[in-house]
Amino acid sequence: MNKCLLCDQTIAAVADLNMIFSFRSIVMPVICSNCTQSFVSLTNQKTCLDCGRLLKQVDVCSDCHYWRQHGHQFSNKALYEYNPAMKEYMSRYKFIGDYRLRQVFRNELSQVIRASRKVIIPIPVSVDTIKHRGFNQVTGWFKKVNYYDVLMPIKKKKIIAQSEKNRQQRLQTPQPFQIIASAQSVILNQDVLIVDDVYTTGTTIRHAANLIQAAGARSVSGLTLCR
Ligand SMILES: [Zn+2]
Ligand SMILES: [Zn+2]
């Protein structure tokens, strides 16, 4: 019997005949149905064209409209809403550093990434984060994904600094990344997909996109687990 990675409840074994005869590999659930239902999927929902957040009436949200007015258009897709259950998940996975929890979204995210057939570039974490946490939360979700470490963080403590700033200050944040020179050929004339955990203000992923675009990519878009 499996136990739910999030709440420790026993997961009822389901032998679904469709699954068994589908010739796909059977993926055992790692979280229970209650925990699954606590996350809000954005797949097949109407979302902002630029950042991927849930939207009812318009095509582009007010934040992204603001970005567009300042000459920054970008296209990001997100798989889930950043709701309280997702915040709790992120804090256990990232800040407590429970590496087992990568399994919760690994299959789904990796499938979407592989289906894109693009050059995959994850947002990197700082050397300090690797020392403390031991892993990059983004590549932790990758399964059979070929990716390239093209970006390198310039500043330390980026994440803490970001969350303490207001929107105006964030727009003016200096570029936190640089491109690894030897990796530049990977980008040239390619369609690139940048992958990150959460799209919050959009500053991080848009900075990365600007750099990659300037380095000669044909197109650059984003994919985040949540928005
Ligand atoms: Zn559960
Ligand atoms: Zn938006």
Side-chain angles (χ1 to χ4, degrees), residues 19-196:
M19 219 182 200
I20 292 167
F21 293 114
S22 69
F23 299 102
R24 281 177 293 156
S25 57
I26 296 170
V27 180
M28 294 308 288
V30 293
I31 60 171
C32 71
S33 56
N34 277 343
C35 288
T36 303
Q37 283 163 23
S38 68
F39 299 114
V40 177
S41 171
L42 296 175
T43 305
N44 299 324
Q45 303 260 27
K46 180 171 161 47
T47 52
C48 172
L49 293 174
D50 286 14
C51 72
R53 71 153 48 126
L54 207 56
L55 270 188
K56 293 271 147 67
Q57 311 291 337
V58 288
D59 290 336
V60 175
C61 76
S62 60
D63 281 348
C64 291
H65 185 67
Y66 186 83
W67 279 108
R68 283 188 179 199
Q69 281 181 323
H70 289 76
H72 301 284
Q73 191 174 348
F74 184 63
S75 173
N76 185 69
K77 285 248 171 296
L79 297 188
Y80 287 91
E81 204 169 71
Y82 197 38
N83 69 352
M86 190 56 91
K87 282 180 188 162
E88 165 76 15
Y89 166 79
M90 282 295 181
S91 94
R92 289 175 60 185
Y93 177 47
K94 275 172 72 170
F95 300 112
I96 299 173
D98 187 345
Y99 193 53
R100 293 174 311 156
L101 297 187
R102 74 194 187 285
Q103 296 172 60
V104 177
F105 296 106
R106 186 166 56 165
N107 284 319
E108 186 181 356
L109 190 74
S110 292
Q111 254 173 29
V112 174
I113 291 172
R114 290 196 301 265
S116 78
R117 301 183 175 279
K118 293 182 176 175
V119 168
I120 306 303
I121 299 182
I123 293 288
V125 294
S126 69
V127 175
D128 281 357
T129 303
I130 289 291
K131 264 189 209 153
H132 286 116
R133 190 193 299 151
F135 61 93
N136 175 336
Q137 70 276 10
V138 176
T139 56
W141 286 315
F142 289 0
K143 186 177 172 183
K144 296 180 191 160
V145 168
N146 293 319
Y147 67 91
Y148 299 92
D149 283 318
V150 164
L151 299 167
M152 199 164 72
I154 297 174
K155 283 198 305 180
K156 290 176 185 174
K157 295 170 188 160
K158 164 184 71 98
I159 295 155
I160 299 161
Q162 284 292 328
S163 57
E164 284 166 357
K165 288 175 187 159
N166 64 33
R167 184 167 79 170
Q168 190 56 44
Q169 286 169 322
R170 279 193 213 109
L171 283 179
Q172 295 156 355
T173 310
Q175 176 61 255
F177 305 117
Q178 62 189 52
I179 292 203
I180 297 167
S182 60
Q184 205 146 4
S185 60
V186 164
I187 300 170
L188 201 63
N189 296 324
Q190 299 298 316
D191 296 315
V192 170
L193 185 68
I194 304 173
V195 186
D196 202 3

Side-chain angles (χ1 to χ4, degrees), residues 1-4 9-17 19-20 26-33:
M1 282 279 191
N2 270 10
K3 288 210 164 184
C4 173
Q9 298 267 19
T10 301
I11 303 173
V14 265
D16 184 321
L17 286 180
M19 219 182 200
I20 292 167
I26 296 170
V27 180
M28 294 308 288
V30 293
I31 60 171
C32 71
S33 56

